[in-house]
Amino acid sequence: MAEISLRRARTMIRKALEHARGAEFKPMAVAVLDSGGNLIAFEREDGASPGRYEIARGKAYGAVMLGMPGSAQMARAEAQAYFVACANGALGGGMIPVPGGVLVKDSKGRTMGAVGVSGDASENDAAAAKAGIEAAGLSAED
């Protein structure tokens, strides 16, 4: 399976932040994880609170570990809160099941990793992540 290169991860981050600045979102933090949930790259804009790292990483981590984007995790949490609570416990409490955790897919639809964005409303975070992924020539599942 193809992996996300550091160069491509940096492109995703740069383009996600450019999207956020163009849309006048609040200061952002962006994390890119590989298919095993390992951090490839991270950046936090000036003005973004330090806790945004864990939130951005947690959004991406939940997406990779469950194989579903944050929006689907949130819907699942609303329908079956016990499942998401148990899954989060099994994963060490590291997932944030809200929009902003976006799966990165290759041209064959295989999951390569995920991008997590935190800083503004969850829907805006997801839009920035999607913009970054697509600018890097990959598909986003948000």
Side-chain angles (χ1 to χ4, degrees), residues 7-25:
R7 181 184 63 71
R8 212 170 219 176
R10 287 178 173 161
T11 296
M12 290 180 208
I13 291 171
R14 185 177 73 254
K15 294 300 186 176
L17 294 177
E18 285 176 11
H19 177 87
R21 292 294 51 81
E24 298 183 3
F25 295 164

Side-chain angles (χ1 to χ4, degrees), residues 7-141:
R7 181 184 63 71
R8 212 170 219 176
R10 287 178 173 161
T11 296
M12 290 180 208
I13 291 171
R14 185 177 73 254
K15 294 300 186 176
L17 294 177
E18 285 176 11
H19 177 87
R21 292 294 51 81
E24 298 183 3
F25 295 164
K26 294 176 183 173
M28 296 283 188
V30 183
V32 180
L33 306 185
D34 67 17
S35 60
N38 303 297
L39 184 68
I40 300 171
F42 171 78
E43 192 167 321
R44 179 174 61 90
E45 288 185 301
D46 293 342
S49 62
R52 294 293 177 184
Y53 165 73
E54 287 298 340
I55 297 169
R57 192 198 66 75
K59 288 180 176 186
Y61 186 71
V64 167
M65 293 294 107
L66 294 181
M68 64 176 72
S71 57
Q73 293 173 57
M74 186 171 79
R76 183 81 182 261
E78 290 168 348
Q80 293 180 308
Y82 56 91
F83 170 79
V84 173
C86 291
N88 202 12
L91 296 171
M95 55 183 255
I96 310 287
V98 297
V102 179
L103 290 169
V104 178
K105 304 276 189 162
D106 68 13
S107 61
K108 295 182 180 177
R110 295 176 296 201
T111 299
M112 298 174 68
V115 174
V117 177
S118 179
D120 205 279
S122 293
E123 293 75 18
N124 293 342
D125 295 347
K130 185 176 179 183
I133 293 165
E134 291 176 352
L138 296 167
S139 296
E141 182 182 341

